[in-house]
Amino acid sequence: MENRPQDTPRDATLPKRQRLSGTKAIERLFRDGKGGFVYPFRYIYTTVEDTAERSVHGPAGGPGPEQVTAGPDAKPNTGNLHASGSPGENPGPAGRPETGNTPAQPANGSAGSFRVLFSVPKRYHKRANKRNLLKRRSRESFRQVKQAITASVRPGKQLRIALIYSSKEVEDYRKIDNAIRKIISQLRSAM
């Protein structure tokens, strides 16, 4: 269960399922993606088929996550972290493992989804506290404008974005916010 205040709307957060993870997904983004530069960010993006509807709601006409029944050889969920039978995977809802790379669900049925990656290279900022500060500012700015990008992604598609902070200067929040808003408007016009 997510820990968030009760008055915070669900789509006003940037949960883990909306962050890009997984080596294959990241490699594919950097290999096949298009990009650009808006100071202080270099960005790379690509669109892929969204598998959220199939994996979350089951196959067409099949059972959804609440309707999944255990087979005769299913292991009971005892509450420990490795009850799914696979080491390193935590059991998710309905006893299925959560791998951390679950597709982001669209806010409504008529929009696509997105996954985003934030990076601040150690090459420019040696101190971890500066890298963390810049990533926090970037995430907050993106969270504020993510509804604009969600609405522009076509249904059945998933937008994957990498935002790489490429400046030696530690910019204030206002510059980071303006840059991310420009990137979002460029992405919306490119789609």
Side-chain angles (χ1 to χ4, degrees), residues 5 7 14 36 39 43-44 55 75 77 81-82 86 91 96 111 119 128 169 173 179 188 190:
D7 58 343
L14 190 62
Y39 181 82
Y43 66 94
I44 300 170
S55 66
K75 296 180 183 178
N77 188 355
L81 293 177
H82 302 292
S86 301
R96 290 189 316 267
S119 175
E169 304 296 322
Y173 176 78
R188 289 181 72 189

Side-chain angles (χ1 to χ4, degrees), residues 67-75:
Q67 300 168 343
V68 174
T69 58
D73 59 343
K75 296 180 183 178

Side-chain angles (χ1 to χ4, degrees), residues 64-128:
E66 295 82 23
Q67 300 168 343
V68 174
T69 58
D73 59 343
K75 296 180 183 178
N77 188 355
T78 59
N80 63 6
L81 293 177
H82 302 292
S84 66
S86 301
E89 294 180 347
N90 296 335
R96 290 189 316 267
E98 286 184 6
T99 60
N101 207 13
T102 309
Q105 296 179 14
N108 55 27
S110 63
S113 63
F114 70 90
R115 306 274 313 269
V116 64
L117 168 82
F118 299 96
S119 175
V120 180
K122 193 184 281 190
R123 166 200 222 177
Y124 297 127
H125 300 282
K126 305 290 186 207
R127 302 285 306 251

Side-chain angles (χ1 to χ4, degrees), residues 134-147:
L134 292 168
K135 283 191 275 189
R136 277 196 310 270
R137 288 178 180 174
S138 302
R139 280 193 302 261
E140 177 61 17
S141 176
F142 189 86
R143 185 189 69 81
Q144 296 288 331
V145 296
K146 75 175 187 173
Q147 295 304 321

Side-chain angles (χ1 to χ4, degrees), residues 122-187:
K122 193 184 281 190
R123 166 200 222 177
Y124 297 127
H125 300 282
K126 305 290 186 207
R127 302 285 306 251
N129 60 340
K130 289 184 182 179
R131 292 193 305 272
N132 292 338
L133 171 73
L134 292 168
K135 283 191 275 189
R136 277 196 310 270
R137 288 178 180 174
S138 302
R139 280 193 302 261
E140 177 61 17
S141 176
F142 189 86
R143 185 189 69 81
Q144 296 288 331
V145 296
K146 75 175 187 173
Q147 295 304 321
I149 198 77
T150 304
S152 64
V153 178
R154 290 184 292 165
K157 296 287 186 179
Q158 183 182 75
L159 176 67
R160 294 182 176 174
I161 311 165
L163 295 171
I164 300 117
Y165 192 90
S166 301
S167 172
K168 292 182 180 181
E169 304 296 322
V170 177
E171 298 296 343
D172 63 346
Y173 176 78
R174 186 174 294 151
K175 271 196 179 172
I176 290 173
D177 188 49
N178 288 337
I180 288 180
R181 288 178 189 273
K182 285 180 188 174
I183 290 169
I184 297 295
S185 68
Q186 288 177 5
L187 291 175

